């Protein structure tokens, strides 16, 4: 039996945060969803710095990353995450409203695992998140050693 895993949501739009949390709650796919509002907070969370220093050892099962963020944009966060030997195996899904080809090319060039354009309606948004959550948090098998089941 699979254990439910943590998801990191990096999103500055409160409306999109609420929609995402509602959709994930409806699907019961994650024990916890940690939310950060900008690119700097995302890196602090992932690298356990500042207010996230005491965060547990387990990495999230997936990072849902917005492209257009304050402080550091999603592509900058992605580059730093995928450039780190310990963090590079964490799946990252770019969840954004941008359909711009340069964003798409750059995201895949930096190692994003999936690039999903946010649907406009709640029903379509919920359906997309249900499929994303099911795949990344339940079905996908992470590389050995990337998700620690024990906590200190």
């Amino acid at each position: 039996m699979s254990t439910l895993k943590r998801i990191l949501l990096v999103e500055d739009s409160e409306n999109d945060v609420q929609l995402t949390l509602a959709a994930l709650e409806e699907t019961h796919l994650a024990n916890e969803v940690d939310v950060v509002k900008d690119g700097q907070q995302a890196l602090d969370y992932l690298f356990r710095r500042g207010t996230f220093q005491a965060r547990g050892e387990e990495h999230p099962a997936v990072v849902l990353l917005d492209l257009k963020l304050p402080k550091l944009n999603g592509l900058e966060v992605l580059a730093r995450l995928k450039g780190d030997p310990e963090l590079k195996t964490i799946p990252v899904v770019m969840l954004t409203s941008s359909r711009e080809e340069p964003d798409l090319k750059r995201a895949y060039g930096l190692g994003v695992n999936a690039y999903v354009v946010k649907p406009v309606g709640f029903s379509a948004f919920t359906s997309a998140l249900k499929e994303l959550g099911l795949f990344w948090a339940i079905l996908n098998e992470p590389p050995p050693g990337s998700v620690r089941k024990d906590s200190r």
Side-chain angles (χ1 to χ4, degrees):
M1 179 175 159
S2 289
T3 58
L4 298 175
K5 301 169 191 129
R6 179 181 313 269
I7 291 173
L8 175 62
L9 173 60
V10 186
E11 175 62 68
D12 64 317
S13 163
E14 190 56 38
N15 187 50
D16 285 354
V17 167
Q18 292 308 315
L19 285 173
T20 303
L21 293 177
L24 291 171
E25 176 70 24
E26 187 176 302
T27 60
H28 306 291
L29 288 177
N31 283 335
E32 285 187 51
V33 178
D34 291 332
V35 179
V36 295
K37 306 285 186 177
D38 64 53
Q40 187 59 57
Q41 284 183 349
L43 292 177
D44 288 348
Y45 177 97
L46 291 163
F47 286 100
R48 294 183 189 88
R49 298 186 299 222
T51 59
F52 301 103
Q53 202 168 316
R55 181 177 71 78
E57 291 287 316
E58 185 175 300
H59 292 307
V62 64
V63 176
L64 301 179
L65 181 62
D66 189 21
L67 179 64
K68 299 186 185 333
L69 294 166
K71 298 188 181 177
L72 295 170
N73 70 40
L75 293 172
E76 292 169 307
V77 172
L78 179 64
R80 293 189 191 177
L81 189 153
K82 293 299 184 179
D84 182 86
E86 183 183 341
L87 301 177
K88 69 181 179 182
T89 59
I90 298 172
V92 178
V93 175
M94 195 69 72
L95 190 58
T96 181
S97 56
S98 174
R99 292 181 184 275
E100 296 176 28
E101 190 173 325
D103 292 337
L104 188 64
K105 283 183 175 178
R106 180 124 190 270
Y108 276 110
L110 291 170
V112 78
N113 298 88
Y115 190 101
V116 178
V117 177
K118 295 176 191 174
V120 176
F122 178 72
S123 178
F125 191 72
T126 302
S127 178
L129 280 174
K130 201 177 285 190
E131 291 177 28
L132 280 172
L134 176 64
F135 181 77
W136 291 109
I138 304 295
L139 298 175
N140 184 54
E141 285 294 326
S146 65
V147 177
R148 300 180 186 150
K149 295 186 188 223
D150 62 314
S151 59
R152 295 179 197 189

